[in-house]
Structures are given as C-alpha cells and as structure tokens.
C-alpha cells in the first residue's frame, strides 16, 4: 500500500488532514500550435480569519487507510466531534516530546474516536519504525490515548497500540485536566474516565507499555479478544478497572503483565461514581507477577467493594492465584470485595522452571505451583477458587497448548514469540470448564450489547472451556 504522509505539529496544522486527495486540471488542447508560457499566478495569501481547525466546519473527520499521520504535538479530538481512523492508517508519535521538558505526546479524546481496523489492515499507534526495538519496550515513548470525562464513545477494533507509558509531568494535558498527577503517574495505553461513556476494545494488540494496558475509571465496556504483552515495567496490569465501570472482559490473552492480568477494584466509589461491576471469563493469563516485587501481584486481584465474577480463566505460570485482600471486611469501598462475587472455576497450570527473580525476604516463591499453594493472607481459602483446578509440584495440570511449552519459557520473559499458539489440543483437560448456566455468570452485554457509532457490539458468550481459546 502506498501511504500518504502528514505531519501534525500543532493545532494550526490540523487542517492538513482534512483533505487527502489532490486534483490537477488537464492541460488545454492547443491544436499543435505552440503557445507562450503564461506567467504563473501568485500564490493567494490565506485569509488570516480562515479557520485551520479541521472540525471547524465538520463534526466528523476521517483519516483514510492510506494515511500516515505523524504527530509532533499533543492531539485532541474536541468535545462533540468525532475522529474516524480507517483500516490500515498509521498514527506515528515523535519521541522527542513537546516543549523544553519534552512532555510525552498525548492523544486526547474529548469527543469520540472510532478506530476501524481489520485483521489484514489494523490501525497502528506507534513510534518511528527505527525506535520499535526491544530496548524501548518499557521506555514510555509517548503518552497514550486518554478518553476524558466528555468522551461519549470509543471503538478500538483491530488496532495495535505500542511503546506507550510516558511519565506524566508538568505540562502534560492529563495533569492539567486532573486525570493524572504530574510526577506520580505514568500514562496507560488506554484511559477512560466518563461514567456514562461506551467503550468497545476488541481484536486489538496492546503491548509494550511502561504502565497499564487499559485503565478504566468510568464507563460501560467490552474488552474482548485482545492480545496484551509486556504491560508494566515495575508495576501495572493488563486491565485495571475502577469505580464507575460496568465491563465484560473476555477472550483476551495477557502475556507477562508486570503485576496482574486483571486488577478489579471499586476504588473511587462515591455518590456520583457507582460500584464497579465486572464479568471476567475465558481469559488466558501467562507469566504474570514475577517482575513485581512483593506479594501483591500474581494474576487476578479483586478488592474494594467491586462485584466481580471471575471464572473459566486459564492461569499459566503466574506467581500467585487470585487474591481478595481484606476479604474479612467485605462490601467496603476501602477494604474487601463484594462478597456476592463468584471467583471460581479457574484453571491454574504450572511449568517446572524456576523464576530468575526470587524475593527471599518476602514469600520466597520460586515456582508457579509453589505460589498457587502458598499460604497467602489474601487467599480466601474455601470460598475463592473452591472449585478451581490448581497445579501442584506433582501435577502441573498442563493445558496442552498447540504451541507453547509451559516448561520452557522463562517465567520473567516478556518478549513474545509470534509462533506461539494458545489454542488447546484435543484431549486437553482445560477443555472441561464451567458451562455458564447460572445467572451470575451472564455477561452484561451479550444480549443487549453496546451501540457505538450506530453499530451494536456484543460480548462473547461464555465458553465451557478454560482460557481464551478452545480447539482451533
């Protein structure tokens, strides 16, 4: 595909993306008679009052699929306006930052964003190709997508988002808006913050970020059939949900999140920001928790009055099993989870390899099977995972992936091999999951769906196997 390149350096340059085709007048026929070359007309002087904002005369701006948009300044989709990014388009962020203190470039959505990629032509949010290196996986080269309190809708479908996680500093738009705190926070790859917003994030790749993959502080959401890899350098999760959210998280593969694949909390709950509600099922979480110090992370972390039903997840080579801190003080936005939650019918598999990172002064856990059976104060034994399959030193509970050796890949590895295949072989014990017949297991958006940009998206049905994939 031949791409058209556009450089956006600031608000004054935004008009350069409103027209993507140019027309030339045909040369007049001269009947073979040589004509004098006319004097070129002088270039018209632009009207200083003419607007350069592409949304000044339009509510919707479209970046076609043959477009490369190079951003060297913060970009904003204004409130009440929409940006459509078509399949194959690329959005490339300068790593130089903005201004004297090199503020990481932020992609702010105050209006609506629709990323309409396809499997063959995904939308790409990245950095210049020469900087897409293993050394930069946790470099935090740009600021991420921030959907603000005025963002009504966002679709991220068949989209690659990578090399994000820049530090929030003085001058960062998210700090100015009060979304994050300068000096304390780093940008997740995707942030949502509107409790009335609708967010559909599907079929996408969210990888290589210093902070969380998705950080939801508000809205109704479907997070389904995505692939996460290397989310978080010294902390952070693949999916992090707070108060004001109602979300289905299903069919995702989460490889080597620093702390947890799923951190589910109703932190921030108030009169205006309601209890967080999450259905998390049929996800595959691999190599989680080993790069995080302490005993907080491991795979799934559920706290602070969230109502979370977490089931049919396949947990492979993670440091710990599902934790519910302060479970003796339930139904409290400052303490334990909503005890009507069901966190059960999960599958914990362990390889035989030892972690390269062991915190002897803390748990001393060196093997996945050891962490699963550790006497952790945050394990609600007999309630959480009462019916789950849990590996031991003697029985690894190998799920028999089509192409992933659970005994060979280092527990701290975060680089991903495209040849891996997390489908299950016929005869896999992980094919025998919970059938989803109880009312508590029903996804929030499998029937009614979420309507975004006029199209209704539904959550995946519960599959009676563990993990994201069954037999291929």
């Amino acid at each position: 595909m031949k791409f058209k390149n556009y450089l956006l350096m600031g608000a004054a340059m935004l008009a350069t993306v409103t027209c993507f085709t140019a027309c030339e007048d045909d040369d007049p026929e001269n009947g073979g008679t040589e004509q004098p070359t006319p004097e070129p007309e002088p270039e018209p002087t632009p009207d200083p009052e003419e607007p350069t904002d592409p949304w000044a005369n339009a509510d919707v701006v479209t970046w076609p699929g043959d477009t490369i948009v190079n951003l060297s300044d913060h970009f904003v989709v204004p409130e009440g306006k929409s940006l459509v990014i078509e399949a194959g388009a690329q959005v490339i962020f300068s790593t130089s930052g903005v201004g004297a203190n090199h503020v990481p470039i932020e992609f702010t959505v105050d209006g609506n964003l629709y990323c309409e990629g396809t499997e063959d032509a995904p939308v790409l949010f990245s950095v210049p190709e020469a900087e897409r290196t293993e050394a930069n996986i946790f470099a935090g080269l740009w600021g991420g997508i921030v959907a603000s309190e005025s963002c009504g809708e966002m679709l991220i479908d068949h989209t690659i988002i990578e090399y994000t996680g820049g530090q929030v500093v003085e001058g960062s738009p998210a700090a100015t808006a009060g979304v994050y705190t300068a000096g304390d926070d780093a940008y997740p790859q995707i942030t949502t913050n509107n409790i009335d917003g609708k967010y559909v994030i599907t079929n996408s790749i969210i990888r290589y970020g210093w902070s969380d993959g998705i950080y939801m502080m508000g809205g109704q959401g479907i997070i389904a059939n995505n692939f996460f890899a290397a989310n978080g350098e010294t902390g952070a999760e693949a999916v992090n949900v707070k108060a004001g959210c109602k979300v289905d998280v299903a069919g995702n593969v989460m490889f080597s999140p620093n702390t947890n694949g799923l951190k589910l909390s109703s932190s921030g709950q108030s009169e205006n920001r309601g209890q967080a509600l999450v259905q998390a099922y049929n996800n595959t979480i691999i190599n989680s928790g080993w790069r995080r110090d302490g005993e907080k992370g491991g795979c799934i972390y559920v706290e602070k009055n969230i109502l979370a039903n977490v089931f049919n997840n396949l947990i492979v080579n993670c440091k710990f099993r599902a934790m519910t801190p302060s479970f003796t003080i339930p139904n409290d936005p400052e303490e334990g989870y909503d005890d009507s939650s069901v966190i059960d019918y999960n599958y914990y598999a362990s390889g035989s390899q030892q972690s390269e990172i062991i915190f002897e002064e803390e748990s001393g856990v060196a093997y996945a099977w050891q962490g699963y059976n550790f006497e952790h104060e945050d394990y609600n034994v007999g309630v959480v995972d009462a019916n789950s399959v849990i590996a031991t030193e003697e029985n690894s509970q190998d799920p028999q992936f089509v192409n992933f050796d659970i005994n060979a890949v280092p527990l701290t590895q975060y680089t991903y091999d495209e040849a891996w295949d997390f489908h299950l072989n016929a005869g896999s014990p992980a094919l025998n999951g919970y059938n989803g017949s109880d009312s508590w297991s029903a996804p929030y958006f499998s029937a009614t769906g979420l309507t975004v940009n006029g199209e209704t998206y539904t959550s995946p049905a519960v599959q009676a196997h563990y993990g994201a994939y069954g037999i291929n």
Side-chain angles (χ1 to χ4, degrees), residues 74-78 93 104-113 125 142-154 156 161 164-166 168 172-180 186-194 199 213 215 217:
H74 304 304
F75 185 86
V76 179
V77 179
F93 294 81
I105 296 175
E106 178 181 319
F107 194 99
T108 307
V109 185
D110 292 335
N112 304 312
L113 174 65
F125 286 79
W142 60 284
I145 299 172
V146 180
S148 73
E149 288 184 328
S150 62
C151 172
E153 296 182 350
M154 184 165 66
I156 307 288
I161 303 171
T164 65
V168 178
S172 293
T176 303
V179 178
Y180 294 117
Y187 284 99
Q189 286 159 291
I190 299 172
T191 299
T192 75
N193 198 27
N194 180 2
Y199 308 105
Y215 192 81
M217 294 185 285

Side-chain angles (χ1 to χ4, degrees), residues 1-186:
M1 176 184 291
K2 184 175 181 181
F3 286 92
K4 300 176 183 177
N5 285 268
Y6 298 89
L7 173 64
L8 302 191
M9 295 181 290
M13 297 295 294
L14 296 182
T16 60
V17 298
T18 59
C19 179
F20 292 93
T21 59
C23 299
E24 295 180 0
D25 293 331
D26 293 334
D27 291 333
E29 296 288 345
N30 56 31
T33 304
E34 185 175 349
Q35 301 291 328
T37 302
E39 291 292 327
E41 296 184 6
E43 291 291 330
T45 302
D47 184 346
E49 299 301 315
E50 182 179 351
T52 56
D53 181 351
W55 282 282
N57 297 308
D59 290 332
V60 180
V61 168
T62 298
W63 292 349
D66 60 351
T67 305
I68 298 176
V69 177
N70 292 286
L71 294 179
S72 61
D73 200 350
H74 304 304
F75 185 86
V76 179
V77 179
E79 183 175 356
K81 307 292 185 176
S82 297
L83 174 64
V84 178
I85 305 179
E86 295 184 339
Q90 300 182 17
V91 185
I92 307 301
F93 294 81
S94 167
T95 61
S96 298
V98 179
N101 58 344
H102 306 286
V103 178
I105 296 175
E106 178 181 319
F107 194 99
T108 307
V109 185
D110 292 335
N112 304 312
L113 174 65
Y114 308 112
C115 297
E116 301 177 342
T118 64
E119 183 175 0
D120 293 331
V123 171
L124 175 66
F125 286 79
S126 190
V127 295
E129 189 169 1
E131 297 179 78
R132 299 173 201 166
T133 65
E134 183 176 340
N136 283 333
I137 284 177
F138 299 122
L141 298 179
W142 60 284
I145 299 172
V146 180
S148 73
E149 288 184 328
S150 62
C151 172
E153 296 182 350
M154 184 165 66
L155 171 68
I156 307 288
D157 186 39
H158 287 98
T159 297
I160 300 170
I161 303 171
E162 58 185 12
Y163 297 101
T164 65
Q167 300 298 304
V168 178
V169 298
E170 293 295 334
S172 293
T176 303
V179 178
Y180 294 117
T181 302
D184 291 339
D185 294 322

